[in-house]
């Protein structure tokens, strides 16, 4: 493999893969994409991520970089002169972006997974309230970080934008599945406005899967979860 050659191992619906692809597109970097099989993992994946055996994995030359947020930072540092920056230039602003990106993955992801597993209306309502709490917190973060501009990163899409933005198809798909608003314009008007700006970006339109496709996958996952419970 040539020194500068890039390969990305991923799954189309994974928010962790989606955010990496968005940044690669935004930077204008050429890469070869390999769609993994969730059940039968490739030898390439097992070779380059023997610890977790998960996607995404970015292979740069003969080096493998794992974990999506680590990959984003690697891309930003290695191609700092190409395209817009992913992380802010100011050290404090970078720390804030990293903090809230970790918050998104730590808080939002488990709740979205739980919506697919909720067995009662009471449990579902509690999970929805939790998601609203997370998104309302991020509404305030957006107002501070954006400083009146279109993105968390200011004038251009940045680290926190792609971290949260990688969940948008899942958020909107799960709204359809559970019949409830999660990203609500009456509660989070600034985030909904941000969503519209984010979805209009070319690097997002090229990568983000359709809500319909994600919804179909979500319904399959729910059916499997229910069948598994019945079997036990």
């Amino acid at each position: 493999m040539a020194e500068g050659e890039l390969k990305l191992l991923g799954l189309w619906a994974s928010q962790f893969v989606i955010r990496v692809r968005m940044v690669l597109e935004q930077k204008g970097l050429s890469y070869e994409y390999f769609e993994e099989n969730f059940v039968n993992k490739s030898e390439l994946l097992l070779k380059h991520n023997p610890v977790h055996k998960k996607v995404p994995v970015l292979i740069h030359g003969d080096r493998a970089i794992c974990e999506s947020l680590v990959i984003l930072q690697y891309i930003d540092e290695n191609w700092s002169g190409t395209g817009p920056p992913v992380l802010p230039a100011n050290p404090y602003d970078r720390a804030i972006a990293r903090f809230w990106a970790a918050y998104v993955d730590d808080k939002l992801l488990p709740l979205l997974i739980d919506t697919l597993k909720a067995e009662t209306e009471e449990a579902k309502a509690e999970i929805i309230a939790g998601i609203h709490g997370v998104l309302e917190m991020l509404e305030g973060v957006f107002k501070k970080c954006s400083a009146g501009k279109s993105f968390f990163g200011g004038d251009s899409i940045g680290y926190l934008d792609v971290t949260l933005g990688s969940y948008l198809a899942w958020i909107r798909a799960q709204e359809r599945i559970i019949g409830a608003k999660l990203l609500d314009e009456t509660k989070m008007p600034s985030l909904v406005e941000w969503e519209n700006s984010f979805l209009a970006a070319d690097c997002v339109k090229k990568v983000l899967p359709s809500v319909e496709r994600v919804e179909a996958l979500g319904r399959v996952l729910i059916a499997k979860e229910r069948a598994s419970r019945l079997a036990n």
Side-chain angles (χ1 to χ4, degrees):
M1 188 186 297
E3 172 60 24
E5 188 176 347
L6 285 172
K7 292 184 177 183
L8 180 65
L9 313 183
L11 289 166
W12 68 268
S14 166
Q15 69 275 14
F16 303 115
V17 175
I18 289 166
R19 63 183 59 156
V20 172
R21 296 189 71 186
M22 286 176 181
V23 168
L24 288 169
E25 293 290 344
Q26 187 183 38
K27 289 279 190 182
L29 300 173
S30 298
Y31 65 99
E32 190 174 1
Y33 178 71
F34 294 83
E35 181 72 15
E36 285 290 327
N37 185 303
F38 185 75
V39 178
N40 300 310
K41 298 177 181 180
S42 72
E43 288 299 320
L44 198 60
L45 175 60
L46 297 177
K47 174 185 176 183
H48 289 287
N49 191 1
V51 177
H52 298 299
K53 304 178 178 65
K54 293 180 180 179
V55 294
V57 178
L58 182 70
I59 304 170
H60 183 203
D62 59 357
R63 299 166 294 185
I65 305 95
C66 306
E67 303 294 330
S68 65
L69 296 181
V70 174
I71 293 172
L72 297 186
Q73 294 175 58
Y74 177 82
I75 293 170
D76 197 35
E77 293 170 7
N78 203 65
W79 288 277
S80 59
T82 303
V86 179
L87 280 157
N90 180 276
Y92 176 77
D93 292 339
R94 280 202 303 274
I96 293 299
R98 289 182 177 122
F99 175 87
W100 287 111
Y103 174 86
V104 169
D105 284 345
D106 290 346
K107 300 295 184 182
L108 186 58
L109 178 59
L111 288 167
L112 289 174
I113 291 171
D114 286 346
T115 63
L116 300 178
K117 298 179 178 180
E119 297 184 43
T120 66
E121 288 301 313
E122 183 180 9
K124 185 167 74 172
E126 185 177 342
I127 295 164
I128 291 169
I131 293 173
H132 285 164
V134 171
L135 293 176
E136 285 170 359
M137 176 72 74
L138 292 168
E139 169 88 357
V141 173
F142 174 76
K143 290 176 181 178
K144 291 181 181 178
C145 290
S146 65
K149 297 180 180 178
S150 298
F151 303 106
F152 284 94
D155 291 317
S156 62
I157 288 172
Y159 189 75
L160 187 48
D161 293 286
V162 295
T163 301
L164 180 58
S166 63
Y167 286 95
L168 286 174
W170 275 105
I171 289 171
R172 292 310 190 186
Q174 286 179 233
E175 287 179 336
R176 295 184 179 189
I177 293 169
I178 65 177
K181 273 282 190 180
L182 300 178
L183 186 52
D184 189 340
E185 59 273 11
T186 63
K187 295 181 178 180
M188 312 108 188
S190 295
L191 269 191
V192 172
E193 189 174 344
W194 161 82
E195 177 192 28
N196 293 333
S197 299
F198 184 80
L199 294 177
D202 287 340
C203 66
V204 175
K205 290 189 285 188
K206 288 178 181 178
V207 173
L208 197 68
S210 70
V211 173
E212 292 76 14
R213 190 180 182 194
V214 174
E215 179 188 358
L217 176 59
R219 292 188 184 279
V220 169
L221 294 175
I222 289 172
K224 288 183 177 180
E225 175 70 20
R226 289 173 178 168
S228 176
R229 287 201 298 264
L230 290 172
N232 294 327

